PDB file of all heavy atoms in Angstrom:
ATOM      1  N   ASP A  24      10.539  -2.290  -3.369  1.00 97.00           N
ATOM      2  CA  ASP A  24      11.013  -1.178  -4.197  1.00 97.00           C
ATOM      3  C   ASP A  24      12.398  -1.497  -4.766  1.00 97.00           C
ATOM      4  O   ASP A  24      12.656  -1.262  -5.962  1.00 97.00           O
ATOM      5  CB  ASP A  24      11.051   0.119  -3.379  1.00 97.00           C
ATOM      6  CG  ASP A  24      11.282   1.315  -4.272  1.00 97.00           C
ATOM      7  OD1 ASP A  24      10.525   1.483  -5.259  1.00 97.00           O
ATOM      8  OD2 ASP A  24      12.220   2.088  -3.992  1.00 97.00           O
ATOM      9  N   ALA A  26      13.730  -4.463  -5.299  1.00 98.00           N
ATOM     10  CA  ALA A  26      13.610  -5.535  -6.312  1.00 98.00           C
ATOM     11  C   ALA A  26      13.019  -5.001  -7.605  1.00 98.00           C
ATOM     12  O   ALA A  26      13.476  -5.355  -8.696  1.00 98.00           O
ATOM     13  CB  ALA A  26      12.715  -6.656  -5.759  1.00 98.00           C
ATOM     14  N   ALA A  27      12.004  -4.137  -7.506  1.00 98.00           N
ATOM     15  CA  ALA A  27      11.381  -3.587  -8.706  1.00 98.00           C
ATOM     16  C   ALA A  27      12.349  -2.698  -9.489  1.00 98.00           C
ATOM     17  O   ALA A  27      12.421  -2.778 -10.718  1.00 98.00           O
ATOM     18  CB  ALA A  27      10.116  -2.807  -8.336  1.00 98.00           C
ATOM     19  N   ARG A  28      13.110  -1.866  -8.790  1.00 97.00           N
ATOM     20  CA  ARG A  28      14.082  -0.997  -9.458  1.00 97.00           C
ATOM     21  C   ARG A  28      15.147  -1.831 -10.161  1.00 97.00           C
ATOM     22  O   ARG A  28      15.564  -1.531 -11.270  1.00 97.00           O
ATOM     23  CB  ARG A  28      14.737  -0.062  -8.465  1.00 97.00           C
ATOM     24  CG  ARG A  28      13.857   1.068  -8.041  1.00 97.00           C
ATOM     25  CD  ARG A  28      14.569   1.894  -6.949  1.00 97.00           C
ATOM     26  NE  ARG A  28      13.679   2.868  -6.395  1.00 97.00           N
ATOM     27  CZ  ARG A  28      13.609   4.139  -6.772  1.00 97.00           C
ATOM     28  NH1 ARG A  28      14.421   4.569  -7.720  1.00 97.00           N
ATOM     29  NH2 ARG A  28      12.759   4.960  -6.220  1.00 97.00           N
ATOM     30  N   SER A  29      15.596  -2.884  -9.491  1.00 98.00           N
ATOM     31  CA  SER A  29      16.646  -3.721 -10.082  1.00 98.00           C
ATOM     32  C   SER A  29      16.121  -4.473 -11.312  1.00 98.00           C
ATOM     33  O   SER A  29      16.836  -4.656 -12.271  1.00 98.00           O
ATOM     34  CB  SER A  29      17.179  -4.655  -8.997  1.00 98.00           C
ATOM     35  OG  SER A  29      17.279  -5.941  -9.380  1.00 98.00           O
ATOM     36  N   ARG A  30      14.879  -4.892 -11.260  1.00 98.00           N
ATOM     37  CA  ARG A  30      14.316  -5.699 -12.354  1.00 98.00           C
ATOM     38  C   ARG A  30      13.809  -4.832 -13.514  1.00 98.00           C
ATOM     39  O   ARG A  30      13.991  -5.170 -14.675  1.00 98.00           O
ATOM     40  CB  ARG A  30      13.193  -6.563 -11.835  1.00 98.00           C
ATOM     41  CG  ARG A  30      12.493  -7.345 -12.900  1.00 98.00           C
ATOM     42  CD  ARG A  30      12.101  -8.703 -12.407  1.00 98.00           C
ATOM     43  NE  ARG A  30      11.289  -9.390 -13.388  1.00 98.00           N
ATOM     44  CZ  ARG A  30      11.748 -10.353 -14.150  1.00 98.00           C
ATOM     45  NH1 ARG A  30      12.987 -10.755 -14.052  1.00 98.00           N
ATOM     46  NH2 ARG A  30      10.949 -10.951 -15.013  1.00 98.00           N
ATOM     47  N   PHE A  31      13.121  -3.705 -13.170  1.00 97.00           N
ATOM     48  CA  PHE A  31      12.444  -2.917 -14.202  1.00 97.00           C
ATOM     49  C   PHE A  31      13.030  -1.537 -14.447  1.00 97.00           C
ATOM     50  O   PHE A  31      12.576  -0.820 -15.330  1.00 97.00           O
ATOM     51  CB  PHE A  31      10.967  -2.744 -13.846  1.00 97.00           C
ATOM     52  CG  PHE A  31      10.242  -4.045 -13.671  1.00 97.00           C
ATOM     53  CD1 PHE A  31       9.790  -4.451 -12.422  1.00 97.00           C
ATOM     54  CD2 PHE A  31      10.006  -4.891 -14.755  1.00 97.00           C
ATOM     55  CE1 PHE A  31       9.115  -5.650 -12.252  1.00 97.00           C
ATOM     56  CE2 PHE A  31       9.336  -6.095 -14.598  1.00 97.00           C
ATOM     57  CZ  PHE A  31       8.895  -6.477 -13.349  1.00 97.00           C
ATOM     58  N   GLY A  32      14.024  -1.118 -13.656  1.00 97.00           N
ATOM     59  CA  GLY A  32      14.587   0.210 -13.812  1.00 97.00           C
ATOM     60  C   GLY A  32      13.740   1.262 -13.105  1.00 97.00           C
ATOM     61  O   GLY A  32      12.899   0.938 -12.273  1.00 97.00           O
ATOM     62  N   THR A  33      13.953   2.521 -13.475  1.00 93.00           N
ATOM     63  CA  THR A  33      13.297   3.616 -12.767  1.00 93.00           C
ATOM     64  C   THR A  33      12.347   4.425 -13.638  1.00 93.00           C
ATOM     65  O   THR A  33      11.876   5.489 -13.213  1.00 93.00           O
ATOM     66  CB  THR A  33      14.347   4.552 -12.157  1.00 93.00           C
ATOM     67  OG1 THR A  33      15.165   5.069 -13.214  1.00 93.00           O
ATOM     68  CG2 THR A  33      15.210   3.837 -11.132  1.00 93.00           C
ATOM     69  N   ALA A  34      12.040   3.957 -14.825  1.00 96.00           N
ATOM     70  CA  ALA A  34      11.136   4.723 -15.704  1.00 96.00           C
ATOM     71  C   ALA A  34       9.724   4.804 -15.132  1.00 96.00           C
ATOM     72  O   ALA A  34       9.008   5.773 -15.363  1.00 96.00           O
ATOM     73  CB  ALA A  34      11.107   4.100 -17.105  1.00 96.00           C
ATOM     74  N   PHE A  35       9.320   3.785 -14.381  1.00 98.00           N
ATOM     75  CA  PHE A  35       8.013   3.754 -13.722  1.00 98.00           C
ATOM     76  C   PHE A  35       8.224   3.220 -12.324  1.00 98.00           C
ATOM     77  O   PHE A  35       8.953   2.227 -12.147  1.00 98.00           O
ATOM     78  CB  PHE A  35       7.040   2.855 -14.504  1.00 98.00           C
ATOM     79  CG  PHE A  35       5.626   2.908 -13.995  1.00 98.00           C
ATOM     80  CD1 PHE A  35       4.733   3.850 -14.476  1.00 98.00           C
ATOM     81  CD2 PHE A  35       5.183   2.011 -13.036  1.00 98.00           C
ATOM     82  CE1 PHE A  35       3.436   3.908 -14.012  1.00 98.00           C
ATOM     83  CE2 PHE A  35       3.891   2.050 -12.554  1.00 98.00           C
ATOM     84  CZ  PHE A  35       3.005   3.004 -13.046  1.00 98.00           C
ATOM     85  N   PRO A  36       7.622   3.814 -11.313  1.00 98.00           N
ATOM     86  CA  PRO A  36       7.823   3.391  -9.926  1.00 98.00           C
ATOM     87  C   PRO A  36       7.031   2.125  -9.544  1.00 98.00           C
ATOM     88  O   PRO A  36       6.093   2.164  -8.750  1.00 98.00           O
ATOM     89  CB  PRO A  36       7.385   4.616  -9.119  1.00 98.00           C
ATOM     90  CG  PRO A  36       6.482   5.368 -10.010  1.00 98.00           C
ATOM     91  CD  PRO A  36       6.853   5.054 -11.411  1.00 98.00           C
ATOM     92  N   TRP A  37       7.426   0.989 -10.117  1.00 98.00           N
ATOM     93  CA  TRP A  37       6.692  -0.257  -9.915  1.00 98.00           C
ATOM     94  C   TRP A  37       6.645  -0.689  -8.454  1.00 98.00           C
ATOM     95  O   TRP A  37       5.641  -1.274  -8.021  1.00 98.00           O
ATOM     96  CB  TRP A  37       7.272  -1.370 -10.784  1.00 98.00           C
ATOM     97  CG  TRP A  37       6.948  -1.189 -12.231  1.00 98.00           C
ATOM     98  CD1 TRP A  37       7.808  -0.839 -13.224  1.00 98.00           C
ATOM     99  CD2 TRP A  37       5.669  -1.325 -12.850  1.00 98.00           C
ATOM    100  NE1 TRP A  37       7.140  -0.735 -14.416  1.00 98.00           N
ATOM    101  CE2 TRP A  37       5.812  -1.046 -14.215  1.00 98.00           C
ATOM    102  CE3 TRP A  37       4.403  -1.650 -12.374  1.00 98.00           C
ATOM    103  CZ2 TRP A  37       4.760  -1.107 -15.121  1.00 98.00           C
ATOM    104  CZ3 TRP A  37       3.344  -1.703 -13.267  1.00 98.00           C
ATOM    105  CH2 TRP A  37       3.537  -1.425 -14.624  1.00 98.00           C
ATOM    106  N   GLY A  38       7.702  -0.473  -7.717  1.00 98.00           N
ATOM    107  CA  GLY A  38       7.734  -0.902  -6.323  1.00 98.00           C
ATOM    108  C   GLY A  38       6.681  -0.221  -5.470  1.00 98.00           C
ATOM    109  O   GLY A  38       5.898  -0.882  -4.778  1.00 98.00           O
TER     110      GLY A  38
END
Side-chain angles (χ1 to χ4, degrees):
D24 191 53
R28 285 175 188 263
S29 133
R30 176 143 173 105
F31 302 111
T33 59
F35 187 88
W37 287 109

